[in-house]
Structures are given as C-alpha cells and as structure tokens.
Amino acid sequence: MSQRRIRGVTGTQNGNVAQEEKHNSPEFTYRESPLTVLLEHSLHIRAIYHIFVVILLVLLCDTVIYDLIERGKINIGVTSVLRGFGDIRRGVKLWLFELAVALAFYPALRIYGLVRNIIKHHASLCKIWAVFGILCVVGLELVLVAVPVRDLANTYLALASSAVVTCEMFRFVMKICAAAVACAPRCHSGNEPLPTISQYVYFLFAPTLIYRDEYPRTKKIRWGVVVFHFLEVSAIIFYNSFLWERFILPYWSDYGKEAQVEAGTVVRGMFACVLPGVISFLCGFYCLLHAWHNAFAEMLTFGDRLFYEDWWTQSRFSSYYRAWNRIVHAWLRDHIYRPLAPRAGRAVSTLLVFLVSAAAHEVILALSFGFFYPVLMVEFGVFGLLMLPLTANSSRRYPNTSNLMMWLSFFIGNGLLWSLYTMEYFSRKNCPVSEDDSFFVPKSWSCPEIVLKPNWTFQNPFYIIY
C-alpha cells in the first residue's frame, strides 16, 4: 500500500466520524497520526505549529541575550540539558540490563513450550508446569523492576536519565507481559508455532505494547522523515530547558535558602508556573507520542501510527483518557480491564486501571526527582477519576463548556505539578539537612516557613481615592 493510500485511509478515519467507530476500529491497520494528517492538509494547524517554532526561536534569542549580558557567554540551555542527562553511562548500563532481561524471556519461552509439548499427555504435570511458567514470568518481571529501582533509590541519577531508565523499565515489563499472554495459549495447544526471535525483537522496539506476529508494514524507510522527527525531539528538549531557565528558576531556585518566605511570593510563583507548565505538557505530548514514536515507526516500517487520537477536542474525561495515549490504553484495556471486568465489574476494574497507571507515573517521578511527593497520583488517581462521572452527562448537553473546563483543569493541574515538585526539589537542595529528612515526607512542608507579609491588610479594590 502506498504512502498516499495510507494518508488517504487515515484522513478518512480521522475525519468527522463518531467516537464509537474510532474505538471499535481494527487493532492494527494502516493509519497515520492525527497531527501528521492535520499538518499536511490544514493550513490552520500548520500555522499553529509555526507559532510554536517562532516561540522557540524567541526563547532562544532571549537566552542568548540574557547570557551575554549577565555572564558574558552563550549557554542556550546546554547546561540544563547536560545536567538533566548526567551520568549517561550509568543510565545506559541500566537500560542494557533491562534489555537483557527482556531478551531472556524468549529462550525461556522456547524452553517452556518444548517441555509443555513433551508432557502434553500428562494433565497433572501440565498444570504444575503452567503454574511454574507463571511464576517464572512474575520472577522475571520482578527482577526487571527490582534492580533498577534499587539502584536509583540508593544513588540518585540525573532527572532525565532516571526518567528514561524508569520509563523503559515499565515498557519492557508491559512488553514481556503482552508476549507471555499472547504465546501461552500456543504452548498449551501445540497447534501454532511460537514467534521467531526476529519477530520478538521487532516487537520489543516497535511502538506498540500489544503483541502480534505480524503488523502492517510500509514498503520503505523515509530517512528524511526520521531525521526530521529526531530534530523535533532535540528541539523540544531545548524548548523545555528554556522554559526551566526563564520561567522556573527565577522564581524557585532560591526557595529554601531563607528560613521564611512570604505567602504572596509562593502564590505568584505558582501562577507563574501555569503557562510554562501547560506548554511543557503539550511539548511532552508532541515529543513522545508524536515525534519519537513516528521516528521509530518510520525506521521499523510500522504502518499503524495512530498512537493517539484527537484528545484536545474531547469533552469527556473518559474519551480523553482513551485518546491521549492509545499505546498504553490498549495494554491496560487488554491486560487489566478486560480480564477483570467480568469478575469484578466495570467500576472496580476502572478503579484498578487508574490506580495502576497513577502508581506507575508516581514511581517514575519519585525515582527521577529523588523523593516521593504524590501530587500527580492525587491529581490523576483521585480528581481524574472523579471527573469521569462529572463530565459524562454534562458533555452531552454542553460539549463546548465541558471542553473548556477540561482545558482549564489541564492549565491548573500542570501549574500545580510544576510549582509543587519544583518547591520540593529546591527545598531538599537548599534547606539545611535534618535528621527528620525522609524520602517519603515532603521537606517543603516544613522548610521554609511560609508567612504572611508583615503589616499586610486587605483593601477594598473598588475604593477610589480622589
């Protein structure tokens, strides 16, 4: 199928179709990412893309001018990037360990299938062997999680490097689980061949968490597209570095150096984080779910590139959660929700899906920052869950208002994330070391002390002095 045909099919599927039709579409088929289609066919979306590029260039100029005036040299955010990806060798070693564990699953699978075929006529042995196989998979997953977590918990690794290692850890965990669930019935029936090593290795690097022997494949690799997407990833990394240096550090870098801080300063700093927080949120989405995944899809000729849907137009949080990250959503649906729903019910299954997802995100943040501060878990696992029934009915009667409220929650939520995690980070960095310091107890709650401005009084804003 030609690239033009792929785009044509995708353009049709991402047009004005009903939500149910999109969610009931085949698991894998030839599809482009929504933004790829919009950027190619919509001048309006392309103009918005150009606006973000111009903002990046303006921030670059601002950084250059600031560095020349204040320091006499040009930094352009390189220092923050290098600090974020510090100790890269240790990060690579941990990733290679994770990859080795994921690869070790394949020979274990072949051995399991071979023994199962030998004892297939002995029912009792087959049951024992099945339990043993499950325990082996669980043990392999525990090793994959325990070693990186223990290493990162004992010795702090730079924030970005730690985030990459932890995200890859969860990715390999989900990959192994998906492959095990898909291949176990084959071992038991003996009628279907197990996947080849090339099929399994392809799955490990393909932008999907659902195992299939074959996926839709394009005919050639467009290396220009690959390079362009990787350049976008690099630009977004520096984009976030500029946001950090220009909007966050001026407000929070000295937080904790003094014993007291005025409440007004904290409030102003929190509001200052709202805009850079939501810009970082959008950039993170584009960087990971669009640019990064499309780059790997192009290199691997992976034909189905519907990694997300048009989540920005949704008015219900349930639709947003399905559309935001289809890769992880598909795994949670197939391996947690669907197996549990017939037994535990939809409500309990949905709750468990949210708790698992929130816990995984919190582990990533805790190991990346070096402390446990469950702000995201509360936002995602509590308020996000409560928004499901609240927006289910209102979205039908007031879809525009519901979409507006959803975006308002994005602004507030990301502003809180950027400010609260930054306050905690610099509190631990700047406040004096105490015997009461703990990985699980936020230090920003006790240091510095937040006080009202001396002699501050409320004045009537409508009182006019003549």
Side-chain angles (χ1 to χ4, degrees), residues 110 182-183 186-187 189-196 199 211 213:
R110 302 294 298 192
C183 295
R186 304 187 193 183
C187 295
S189 66
N191 298 325
E192 295 182 66
L194 292 176
T196 64
Q199 289 173 326
Y211 179 80
D213 286 342

Side-chain angles (χ1 to χ4, degrees), residues 272-346:
C273 289
V274 171
L275 186 58
V278 78
I279 292 176
S280 178
F281 164 75
L282 294 174
C283 287
F285 153 75
Y286 188 91
C287 178
L288 180 61
L289 293 175
H290 182 79
W292 183 263
H293 282 126
N294 270 286
F296 269 85
E298 189 65 37
M299 285 193 296
L300 296 172
T301 65
F302 190 82
D304 192 346
R305 302 176 186 185
L306 193 64
F307 308 124
Y308 55 91
E309 295 177 15
D310 52 346
W311 56 266
W312 50 89
T313 66
Q314 305 300 323
S315 55
R316 291 187 299 173
F317 267 76
S318 58
S319 300
Y320 160 71
Y321 288 132
R322 286 193 295 266
W324 161 257
N325 186 342
R326 293 187 76 254
I327 299 175
V328 175
H329 169 260
W331 189 91
L332 292 170
R333 178 199 64 206
D334 289 1
H335 298 288
I336 297 181
Y337 181 82
R338 284 180 176 173
L340 286 177
R343 301 175 180 85
R346 296 180 59 182

Side-chain angles (χ1 to χ4, degrees), residues 122-332:
H122 303 277
S124 58
L125 289 178
C126 288
K127 292 181 180 179
I128 295 173
W129 187 243
V131 173
F132 178 75
I134 294 173
L135 293 176
C136 286
V137 173
V138 173
L140 195 67
E141 301 270 39
L142 289 176
V143 170
L144 179 54
V145 172
V147 172
V149 168
R150 181 180 176 83
D151 185 276
L152 296 175
N154 289 339
T155 306
Y156 178 74
L157 181 64
L159 192 150
S161 298
S162 180
V164 170
V165 169
T166 316
C167 288
E168 284 292 278
M169 176 190 75
F170 281 116
R171 186 175 73 89
F172 284 130
V173 164
M174 291 186 284
K175 293 268 189 180
I176 292 174
C177 177
V181 170
C183 295
R186 304 187 193 183
C187 295
H188 297 161
S189 66
N191 298 325
E192 295 182 66
L194 292 176
T196 64
I197 182 64
S198 60
Q199 289 173 326
Y200 179 68
V201 172
Y202 181 87
F203 168 65
L204 286 182
F205 292 95
T208 179
L209 296 173
I210 303 299
Y211 179 80
R212 298 290 185 271
D213 286 342
E214 300 292 339
Y215 300 96
R217 303 284 292 272
T218 56
K219 293 183 178 180
K220 65 178 183 179
I221 302 174
R222 298 172 295 173
W223 288 107
V225 174
V226 175
V227 173
F228 177 75
H229 284 311
F230 279 132
L231 287 176
E232 286 184 317
V233 171
S234 302
I236 291 173
I237 291 174
F238 278 95
Y239 205 151
N240 278 278
S241 177
F242 298 154
L243 292 174
W244 173 259
E245 292 184 352
R246 288 292 163 265
F247 294 98
I248 305 302
L249 289 182
Y251 282 97
W252 302 112
S253 59
D254 293 333
Y255 192 78
K257 289 184 177 180
E258 298 182 0
Q260 293 182 337
V261 61
E262 292 183 1
T265 303
V266 175
V267 173
R268 289 197 305 270
M270 295 179 74
F271 272 95
C273 289
V274 171
L275 186 58
V278 78
I279 292 176
S280 178
F281 164 75
L282 294 174
C283 287
F285 153 75
Y286 188 91
C287 178
L288 180 61
L289 293 175
H290 182 79
W292 183 263
H293 282 126
N294 270 286
F296 269 85
E298 189 65 37
M299 285 193 296
L300 296 172
T301 65
F302 190 82
D304 192 346
R305 302 176 186 185
L306 193 64
F307 308 124
Y308 55 91
E309 295 177 15
D310 52 346
W311 56 266
W312 50 89
T313 66
Q314 305 300 323
S315 55
R316 291 187 299 173
F317 267 76
S318 58
S319 300
Y320 160 71
Y321 288 132
R322 286 193 295 266
W324 161 257
N325 186 342
R326 293 187 76 254
I327 299 175
V328 175
H329 169 260
W331 189 91
L332 292 170

Side-chain angles (χ1 to χ4, degrees), residues 411-432:
F411 274 75
I412 296 174
N414 283 284
L416 288 174
L417 288 177
W418 269 62
S419 56
L420 293 178
Y421 278 109
T422 305
M423 290 165 63
E424 180 64 20
Y425 176 80
F426 282 108
S427 289
R428 291 176 178 265
K429 183 178 180 180
N430 296 329
C431 290

Side-chain angles (χ1 to χ4, degrees), residues 81-94 151-152 155-162 165:
V81 174
L82 292 178
R83 287 176 180 173
F85 289 95
D87 201 357
I88 193 69
R89 288 185 178 181
R90 182 172 158 224
V92 171
K93 289 179 180 178
L94 287 171
D151 185 276
L152 296 175
T155 306
Y156 178 74
L157 181 64
L159 192 150
S161 298
S162 180
V165 169

